[in-house]
Amino acid sequence: MLIAEDNESDVFLIQDAIETAKLDVALHIVKDGEQAIRFFDQADSDADMPCPALVILDINLPRKHGNAVLQHMRLSRKCGKALVLAVSSSASDRDREEMAKLGANGYFQKPSDYDDFMKLGDIIKGLLGRRNTQ
Amino acid sequence: MTGAGGNTLTDFVAGGDLSNSIFREMMEALPAAIYMTDAQGRLTYFNPAAVNLSGRRPEIGTDKWCVTWKIFLPDGTPLPHDQCPMAVALKGGDVPTGIECIAERPDGTRFWFTPCPAIIRDAAGRIIGGVNLLMDITDRKNAEIEASEQFRAIVETTPECVKMVAPDGTLLFMNAPGLAMVGASSAEAVTGKSVYDLIAPEDRDRFREFNERICKGEKASLEFDILSLNGTRCHMDSHAAPLRHVDGSTVQLAITRNITERKHAERAALLLSAIVACSDDAIISKDLNGVITSWNQSAERMFGYTAAEAVGQPVATLLIPPDRQDEEPKILARLRSGERVDHFETVRRCKDGTLLHISLTVSPVKDAQGVIIGASKIARDITQTRRLHAALIESEARFRQLADTMPQMVWTARPDGYLDYYNDRWYEFTGLSRVAFGDERWETLVHPEDIRQAHESWYAAVDAGKPYNFEYRFLDRHENRWRWFVGRALPVRDTEGKIVKWFGTWTDIDEQKRIEDELRRANQDLEQFAFSASHDLQEPLRTVKIYSELLTKRHADKLDGEALKFIGYLRNGATRMETLVRDLLTYTQVTKVEKCAEVADANEALKTAVANLAGSISETGAQIEADPMPLLPVHSMHLQQLFQNLAGNAIKYRRPDRPPIVHIAAERQDGHWLFTVSDNGIGIDPEYKENIFGLFKRLHTSDEYSGTGIGLAICQRIVDRYHGRIWVESEVGRGSTFRFTLPV
């Protein structure tokens, strides 16, 4: 699983949610949009590099915006089909709609309550489960 | 001739000696021409009257019946000898009685006669001769001819229509002028046909009755209209008398005159006299000595003299004031030379001595021969007109004075859009020199980017006759830069609604426009700032909140009571900050929502608002009562925010001793909806009732009542957006009533 998130405190909470949901996954973390793009480019050129099953993509990433990352990823030979869960603290419908249009598989608005945040784990589980049944 | 004396006509005819015969004596004495022939027509006897009539002494036994006369039929064709009446009779043919012939004497003179031939037969019935009596009818005939010639001449020379109509309406005869009147190219076109077809339908029955009366022997006259064959209508005046026709019946003989022209002239004369009588102008006629000959009603009204008083008086003594006595001889002199005096403005005196300003038009009147016999004069009272004119000049002067003192540039334009006046301000601003009749130079001073639209918008307003309002830039020659102006103009209409003038201004809005632009930019910046700030502020707040929670969750055992209390403060602070930021975001977004094209159901908006307040409602046992809400052109989200904030406040600021009751109502008023949200809460000190709608204005500490001080500011902003009003009526301890208006 790839996590593209610049905010360390949120990375911690995402990891916490994954753990709480008892998901056994390998995590790779990038801190900005450029790193995320580089990750997909490398995956395309390096046959040994695995492709993430799920990308947790913060929309407001430094350097390259989340939607640019998503657009780039969808063009990747290897990772083009990966699941994407867009996350953001924004309640804006426009952000949500735009990510959906670019092919995000889900959207999670980061809550300001710990228990609510932990629900992310179940959402991730649900997404992966849906992929496995496909 | 035998010498034996015979006594019979047969003997006589056979050539007996008549010398002593009583017949002979008789015949010699008769004034009628008589002759006798033998069976072959040879003359055996003639009397002196025959010689006298024929103008020749024939030879017995040689000349034949006709005595060599040349005989003609009445129409002038020669009659051959063997067909003359006596010859026909001798051959045993029938000779009609009463025929008329013409004979010519050797000297060429002619006479009319009627022959009466008789055949004489012997005892065996053989024709042995004949006797003919020639009656001279020349005098009668000439008289007859003369009479019919006279009739014909009358009929042919009269310009009137002469016609004969049978009792059944058949036209028997019509002369040439008559044919011309009815538009017939020949007599055949109308004669033998019903004359009624020529009569105008509405007069047909009258004419039929008229014809029948005449044919019964009456004399009468009638006026009627005809429709001629070429479609024109003429008015006719007919005088008719009965006439005994050749066939013995009585027919109508009528002489009819076309009086259409006369009728028109009569009508025109009536109209003219009516005009003269009703005219507002005094119409007077006078002779060349200046003596009044006619005086209409307006003249009576205007000058105070009745027609009886005026007619016969000289104009000069009756009307002309002493200081103007020289005018009349001059006018009369001009009239005598055939000149007309037009719109001569002068003063005349009325009966009561008042002086009138009048405008005179005097024209010479000529008789049929073109000789000037007098004058007609039309006098118009222009006292009022002069007064109006003076008032107009004064009002115009006042307008200009007023216009020149105005800070704006003032102008007027003709109905066609041509600017015909500018005030002083314009000339000061442009440095142009004043021209007498206005101009279109204003367009040349408009900014090149605005000139096309400035021109088009102005002429569009002129064409539509609608108020003009348009903004464009003029060159400010003092500062050498473009300045924004708003051009406004209103049409001025006369009583019939026709535009007579445009009244316009140019107002300098440069400063206003600059400030507006700055304000708009500042507002945009502010909104952008508030939006981004509140957006980006949420992120760290969330972190503070969530980690302070995590700290107490996971590390409570390692922290003492004070640390936990501090963490509690930290969380509360973050929560409040979060609410504040969220409300601020709502506040800035009020104006961002696009203009609302559809109507929203306020019932739905209220339902959503109540649902959002469900927590506090159940917590406090609040009762929300609502009347039916209207549909209105306001964004549904805004309605919901209004209800939610006001109802939320009502619940929040409840009295501790009783559960809150909130009543929400809507009432249609003049041009808007009035909404009311009233409660039984703690109320508001009137001192603060203006303050509470300001941003971050709070009357209570957050210990007493939580809140950001943005809710009512949001309400105010929403209502402002729809050009409505919001206010509160309240007394401390007696609840509050919030009211706001929204468009219908």
Side-chain angles (χ1 to χ4, degrees):
Chain A
M1 190 182 300
L2 176 71
I3 297 174
E5 171 63 69
D6 60 315
N7 191 334
E8 240 176 279
S9 63
D10 283 339
V11 173
F12 177 82
L13 288 169
I14 293 167
Q15 284 175 319
D16 204 12
I18 291 169
E19 265 169 43
T20 309
K22 296 191 172 62
L23 286 164
D24 184 19
V25 287
L27 295 177
H28 185 86
I29 295 154
V30 290
K31 298 253 173 200
D32 63 40
E34 271 177 15
Q35 281 183 26
I37 285 169
R38 226 165 20 239
F39 176 89
F40 296 121
D41 289 348
Q42 270 173 14
D44 277 346
S45 57
D46 185 348
D48 294 338
M49 228 175 105
C51 180
L54 177 73
V55 179
I56 292 177
L57 178 61
D58 184 25
I59 295 175
N60 289 305
L61 281 178
R63 296 209 175 86
K64 284 272 187 206
H65 198 260
N67 55 26
V69 174
L70 179 52
Q71 262 173 321
H72 192 91
M73 191 207 89
R74 286 300 180 209
L75 295 173
S76 156
R77 261 183 301 112
K78 202 191 259 176
C79 309
K81 296 235 164 74
L83 286 172
V84 173
L85 176 64
V87 294
S88 168
S89 53
S90 163
S92 153
D93 287 340
R94 227 186 56 202
D95 285 352
R96 188 188 292 256
E97 278 161 23
E98 197 175 339
M99 291 312 279
K101 211 154 66 192
L102 292 172
N105 304 83
Y107 187 92
F108 182 71
Q109 189 192 335
K110 296 177 205 165
S112 53
D113 187 275
Y114 177 77
D115 290 338
D116 287 340
F117 208 116
M118 290 306 111
K119 287 174 187 161
L120 177 64
D122 290 335
I123 293 168
I124 294 170
K125 208 191 246 176
L127 273 175
L128 290 174
R130 207 169 72 192
R131 193 194 68 149
N132 291 338
T133 57
Q134 271 173 358
Chain B
M1 303 270 158
T2 64
N7 295 324
T8 64
L9 182 62
T10 314
D11 294 340
F12 180 69
V13 170
D17 185 3
L18 290 175
S19 54
N20 295 317
S21 161
I22 186 167
F23 290 116
R24 187 179 182 105
E25 273 177 50
M26 220 166 75
M27 294 208 202
E28 299 284 307
L30 276 172
I34 294 169
Y35 69 84
M36 289 179 191
T37 66
D38 61 15
Q40 283 71 47
R42 278 189 297 271
L43 212 55
T44 55
Y45 171 79
F46 56 85
N47 70 351
V51 174
N52 196 27
L53 181 64
S54 64
R56 173 176 182 272
R57 179 167 291 276
E59 278 183 41
I60 297 293
T62 311
D63 284 338
K64 287 215 169 174
W65 48 79
C66 55
V67 246
T68 72
W69 297 333
K70 288 179 182 165
I71 301 185
F72 306 92
L73 292 173
D75 64 0
T77 50
L79 192 64
H81 280 179
D82 56 350
Q83 280 170 32
C84 71
M86 191 66 219
V88 173
L90 286 174
K91 281 179 202 144
D94 284 333
V95 177
T97 54
I99 62 165
E100 293 176 340
C101 296
I102 301 164
E104 190 178 297
R105 299 190 179 95
D107 65 1
T109 57
R110 291 187 176 194
F111 61 92
W112 282 85
F113 68 98
T114 295
C116 307
I119 300 302
I120 301 162
R121 297 172 193 267
D122 61 11
R126 281 173 296 148
I127 294 172
I128 56 163
V131 60
N132 199 356
L133 168 74
L134 304 178
M135 293 195 300
D136 182 0
I137 57 165
T138 305
D139 288 349
R140 177 170 67 81
K141 227 29 217 185
N142 284 344
E144 255 182 43
I145 288 166
E146 195 180 348
S148 85
E149 281 296 308
Q150 276 171 1
F151 177 74
R152 200 170 54 82
I154 290 168
V155 165
E156 277 174 10
T157 53
T158 180
E160 323 294 10
C161 164
V162 178
K163 69 175 187 295
M164 292 198 293
V165 181
D168 67 352
T170 305
L171 183 69
L172 302 169
F173 168 80
M174 185 175 269
N175 68 345
L179 295 175
M181 278 180 206
V182 302
S185 53
S186 67
E188 287 72 38
V190 284
T191 49
K193 296 175 182 163
S194 172
V195 80
Y196 299 144
D197 294 344
L198 294 167
I199 312 297
E202 70 273 17
D203 288 341
R204 224 165 262 172
D205 287 343
R206 272 188 329 124
F207 186 86
R208 192 192 308 275
E209 189 214 356
F210 172 74
N211 188 44
E212 285 163 5
R213 262 169 55 208
I214 304 298
C215 293
K216 279 181 189 141
E218 267 184 65
K219 268 188 180 174
S221 57
L222 183 75
E223 283 191 20
F224 56 91
D225 278 6
I226 62 160
L227 291 175
S228 73
L229 297 182
N230 47 38
T232 54
R233 174 181 279 266
C234 296
H235 193 71
M236 314 300 276
D237 179 22
S238 190
H239 296 264
L243 177 76
R244 182 156 289 279
H245 192 48
V246 276
D247 64 4
S249 64
T250 303
V251 302
Q252 178 198 162
L253 173 71
I255 296 179
T256 307
R257 182 177 302 177
N258 184 349
I259 56 165
T260 314
E261 294 291 315
R262 202 184 78 200
K263 278 274 158 189
H264 283 168
E266 275 173 20
R267 238 170 266 157
L270 273 175
L271 192 66
L272 195 64
S273 60
I275 291 169
V276 168
C278 304
S279 170
D280 263 352
D281 295 334
I283 301 175
I284 302 164
S285 62
K286 60 183 179 187
D287 62 19
L288 285 178
N289 298 315
V291 174
I292 294 164
T293 50
S294 80
W295 187 259
N296 75 342
Q297 284 172 11
S298 284
E300 293 189 356
R301 210 161 40 232
M302 202 179 286
F303 298 113
Y305 295 103
T306 64
E309 288 169 326
V311 172
Q313 297 295 316
V315 170
T317 50
L318 199 68
L319 299 177
I320 303 180
D323 58 329
R324 288 181 185 264
Q325 283 292 334
D326 57 329
E327 283 177 5
E328 180 74 352
K330 281 181 196 159
I331 292 172
L332 289 174
R334 285 174 70 179
L335 288 171
R336 283 194 198 97
S337 64
E339 243 183 276
R340 185 184 144 100
V341 179
D342 258 333
H343 305 297
F344 174 61
E345 293 196 2
T346 183
V347 176
R348 290 293 179 259
R349 197 186 51 213
C350 305
K351 190 178 180 184
D352 64 5
T354 53
L355 296 176
L356 285 184
H357 285 278
I358 60 165
S359 164
L360 271 183
T361 296
V362 192
S363 337
V365 173
K366 298 173 183 174
D367 67 8
Q369 279 72 47
V371 178
I372 297 164
I373 51 166
S376 80
K377 82 189 211 182
I378 298 174
R380 173 165 297 178
D381 183 354
I382 55 166
T383 312
Q384 188 66 12
T385 317
R386 281 176 69 105
R387 204 172 294 145
L388 285 176
H389 189 66
L392 189 70
I393 289 171
E394 197 195 315
S395 122
E396 194 137 316
R398 264 211 305 270
F399 162 71
R400 293 202 173 177
Q401 198 179 9
L402 179 69
D404 283 341
T405 57
M406 279 173 82
Q408 284 126 316
M409 297 193 274
V410 177
W411 45 271
T412 62
R414 297 190 312 220
D416 67 357
Y418 181 86
L419 271 61
D420 58 1
Y421 163 80
Y422 303 91
N423 69 345
D424 283 349
R425 207 68 58 239
W426 167 257
Y427 296 102
E428 281 165 22
F429 178 74
T430 59
L432 293 172
S433 59
R434 218 176 248 284
V435 284
F437 302 106
D439 55 58
E440 296 294 321
R441 282 182 293 173
W442 69 275
E443 286 194 358
T444 62
L445 293 157
V446 174
H447 192 291
E449 283 171 20
D450 304 340
I451 190 159
R452 202 172 61 91
Q453 281 190 303
H455 177 91
E456 284 172 5
S457 62
W458 166 236
Y459 284 98
V462 165
D463 288 345
K466 291 201 175 127
Y468 170 66
N469 192 328
F470 200 76
E471 293 176 5
Y472 38 83
R473 286 161 284 180
F474 276 125
L475 183 67
D476 181 343
R477 71 187 177 105
H478 301 290
E479 294 182 23
N480 198 26
R481 67 178 187 92
W482 300 101
R483 289 187 83 87
W484 278 101
F485 282 82
V486 59
R488 290 198 193 92
L490 285 174
V492 181
R493 294 170 191 275
D494 63 13
T495 47
E496 273 123 50
K498 219 180 85 194
I499 294 173
V500 290
K501 213 165 192 50
W502 286 83
F503 177 81
T505 56
W506 284 310
T507 309
D508 187 340
I509 52 161
D510 201 66
E511 190 71 0
Q512 184 190 336
K513 194 118 175 133
R514 202 174 49 75
I515 291 168
E516 266 175 21
D517 281 350
E518 275 171 17
L519 190 65
R520 191 163 40 239
R521 264 197 303 275
N523 266 332
Q524 276 170 356
D525 290 350
L526 191 67
E527 266 170 32
Q528 188 54 45
F529 169 77
F531 180 75
S532 335
S534 47
H535 218 266
D536 294 343
L537 275 173
Q538 286 200 338
E539 194 71 25
L541 280 171
R542 197 169 45 73
T543 310
V544 171
K545 218 185 131 198
I546 212 161
Y547 277 91
S548 56
E549 188 188 346
L550 212 50
L551 203 56
T552 41
K553 260 201 172 111
R554 297 207 180 157
H555 304 287
D557 52 340
K558 290 172 213 150
L559 297 166
D560 62 15
E562 196 178 57
L564 286 172
K565 197 163 89 182
F566 290 173
I567 291 169
Y569 291 158
L570 203 60
R571 276 197 72 191
N572 281 345
T575 305
R576 273 190 46 223
M577 187 69 174
E578 201 178 42
T579 318
L580 204 62
V581 167
R582 200 190 53 226
D583 286 355
L584 200 58
L585 192 62
T586 310
Y587 180 81
T588 57
Q589 278 184 323
V590 166
T591 51
K592 289 196 101 174
V593 178
E594 294 142 34
K595 272 226 151 67
C596 186
E598 285 164 30
V599 289
D601 185 349
N603 295 295
E604 291 299 318
L606 179 58
K607 214 182 279 176
T608 313
V610 171
N612 288 346
L613 294 170
S616 54
I617 289 171
S618 65
E619 204 176 288
T620 59
Q623 209 179 320
I624 311 272
E625 301 163 354
D627 292 352
M629 292 285 126
L631 297 175
L632 67 168
V634 169
H635 218 284
S636 181
M637 193 182 74
H638 289 153
L639 284 170
Q640 183 209 312
Q641 283 167 348
L642 283 165
F643 291 137
Q644 196 168 322
N645 275 308
L646 295 176
N649 279 351
I651 295 168
K652 193 194 288 174
Y653 300 105
R654 66 186 176 274
R655 277 171 49 152
D657 55 338
R658 58 188 182 208
I661 301 171
V662 187
H663 189 90
I664 301 166
E667 185 189 341
R668 173 75 186 256
Q669 287 194 334
D670 212 16
H672 59 254
W673 286 103
L674 175 69
F675 288 87
T676 308
V677 180
S678 46
D679 62 49
N680 58 346
I682 57 171
I684 299 162
D685 186 331
E687 193 187 330
Y688 300 113
K689 67 181 198 175
E690 300 294 332
N691 262 347
I692 53 171
F693 295 101
L695 199 55
F696 304 124
K697 295 288 181 196
R698 305 201 65 235
L699 299 183
H700 306 275
T701 64
S702 52
D703 294 343
E704 294 169 307
Y705 296 98
S706 64
T708 55
I710 299 177
L712 288 177
I714 290 173
C715 292
Q716 174 81 66
R717 204 164 153 94
I718 290 172
V719 171
D720 279 351
R721 200 196 127 115
Y722 295 101
H723 309 293
R725 230 157 50 81
I726 185 165
W727 69 99
V728 66
E729 293 159 10
S730 178
E731 263 179 67
V732 174
R734 308 196 67 160
S736 306
T737 300
F738 282 84
R739 297 186 201 277
F740 58 95
T741 61
L742 286 174
V744 293

